[in-house]
Every structure is written in C-alpha cells, then in structure tokens.
Amino acid sequence: MYPRLFEAGPITVYTYGVLLAAAYLLGLQLARVRAKARGLDANRVLDLGIYIIIAALIGAKLLLLVTDFRTFSSNPRELLTLARSGGVFYGGLILAVTVALVYIRKIGLPLWTTCDVFAPGIAVGHVVGRFGCLFAGCCYGKPTTLPWGITFTDPFAAANVGTPLGVPLHPTQIYEAGAEALILGILLATERKGRPYPGRTFWLYMLLYAISRFIIEFFRGDERGAVGMFSTSQFISILLAPL
C-alpha cells in the first residue's frame, strides 16, 4: 500500500489519482483505436470520451454521497473527502452511460456500435483503477485467514478511508481487477464469434460485470450502503444482469 506517491512542499500527489487518470486515458485511447477501425469519426469519439470521463467522476461521487449519506449528514466536514475519493463505480457507470446515450443520439453516431467501441475501454480502465484502490487502501475486503490475504499498515490510509490495519483482508481490489481483465479478454475474444450484432459487446460487458460485482461484494468489508439484505452495488447488479 502506497497512498501518497510523493510530496513536493504543500503539494501531495496521490497514487490513486495518478492511476485513476491513467485508467481514463488508457480506456479512451483503446476506444479511439477501436473507433477508427470501425470507420467512426475519431474526433467525435474523443469528445464523447471526455463527456464520459466527466460524467463518470460526478456519478461515482454522487452515489457515494447517497450510499453513505448518514456519515455525510452527521458530519458535513466529511463532504470534503468527496474531492479525493473515487466514489462508487456503479454511480459513474450509470451516469456515464446515460450521458453517452444522449450525446450519441445528438451527434448522430451509430448508437450500439459506439457503445461496443467503448465497452472494452471501460474494462481496461477499471483494471488500472482498482490497483489505485489497492494503493490507497480503499474498497478493502473482510478479514480472512486465506494465505493470499493482504495486510495494510499505512496510518494515512486508515485516517483517510478507514482501512483496517494489521489485519489480513481479502484483496477485493485484486479480485475485481482480475475479474475485469477476464471480462476484457472475453469481450475481445468473442466479439467476432457467432452472430455479432451492434450492442452485443456492450451488453455482454454489462452482464459479466454485474455477475462479477455481485459475487465480489460478498467479500467487501468497507461501508458502502445497503438495500435490504444486499449492498447497494449488489442491488444494482440484480437489476442490471437481467436487463
């Protein structure tokens, strides 16, 4: 765990922020390459990618605010943590997809082909982003006795995101990065198999991510809200998978 990459006087560069930026850039670059291969306007795809990034950042923080509303309402100072928190991935995904659908229709790009272009980019960006979570100590798992349990030791992470220290935890950040890497491989390996049609790659991503996230949530140990007996992300997965 290495939450702070380096400090230069009053300026602190956080590892999570650097990796999050790298995740967005890698995902956007992959989408641009795929767009060119399909004859789409690369400039419009780049513009769309920027809107997606902005929407993803806002949506992720908004869902974090909703899922942890009691904490923020009881201590308004905690709202400042939203500035340095990545938020909840599902919030970013939902708002980004909504904004993308509106923008795609507005500028006249082929809807589902454009969504297919971006789907693997979301996966590759998520792989990198979850390693940012690992370095920051957020999105941590429940205590475990398994030999691959990971023990965090940095007091800054404990103060910043509540990471338990000195206790072996499920490396849920690695679980999800691995799941996303597997999903990426499946998307790229199967998109020209069988009877491909516009939208298949995008919806396959949605299905596989919903399944993987539902399972991984059982091993998460951080506070992330609940809907009945399920975590917020599990509840969204239950709605998304059949859709």
Side-chain angles (χ1 to χ4, degrees), residues 86-117:
V88 180
F89 175 77
Y90 257 137
L93 179 64
I94 292 170
L95 186 58
V97 168
T98 302
V99 169
L101 292 177
V102 172
Y103 186 74
I104 287 169
R105 289 188 179 278
K106 180 180 179 180
I107 64 177
L109 286 170
L111 177 60
W112 296 118
T113 298
T114 306
C115 290
D116 287 342
V117 161

Side-chain angles (χ1 to χ4, degrees), residues 65-84:
L65 178 62
V66 171
T67 57
D68 207 8
F69 183 74
R70 289 184 180 179
T71 299
F72 292 118
S73 60
S74 62
N75 186 4
R77 288 187 178 181
E78 288 295 317
L79 289 170
L80 296 175
T81 64
L82 290 173
R84 60 177 184 268

Side-chain angles (χ1 to χ4, degrees), residues 1-3 133-138 150-158 163 165:
M1 185 170 63
Y2 199 76
C133 294
L134 179 66
F135 280 109
C138 63
I150 185 168
T151 302
F152 295 100
T153 59
D154 195 314
F156 176 78
T163 313
L165 303 182

Side-chain angles (χ1 to χ4, degrees), residues 91-194:
L93 179 64
I94 292 170
L95 186 58
V97 168
T98 302
V99 169
L101 292 177
V102 172
Y103 186 74
I104 287 169
R105 289 188 179 278
K106 180 180 179 180
I107 64 177
L109 286 170
L111 177 60
W112 296 118
T113 298
T114 306
C115 290
D116 287 342
V117 161
F118 275 91
I122 299 172
V124 73
H126 205 169
V127 172
V128 179
R130 281 305 178 194
F131 278 102
C133 294
L134 179 66
F135 280 109
C138 63
C139 306
Y140 51 84
K142 295 177 180 177
T144 181
T145 57
L146 293 171
W148 57 80
I150 185 168
T151 302
F152 295 100
T153 59
D154 195 314
F156 176 78
N160 191 34
V161 293
T163 313
L165 303 182
V167 181
L169 306 173
H170 279 285
T172 44
Q173 307 92 333
I174 298 177
Y175 292 169
E176 192 153 356
E180 285 285 343
L182 179 60
I183 291 172
L184 174 63
I186 293 172
L187 296 183
L188 296 178
T190 62
E191 69 176 347
R192 298 188 185 278
K193 304 287 185 180

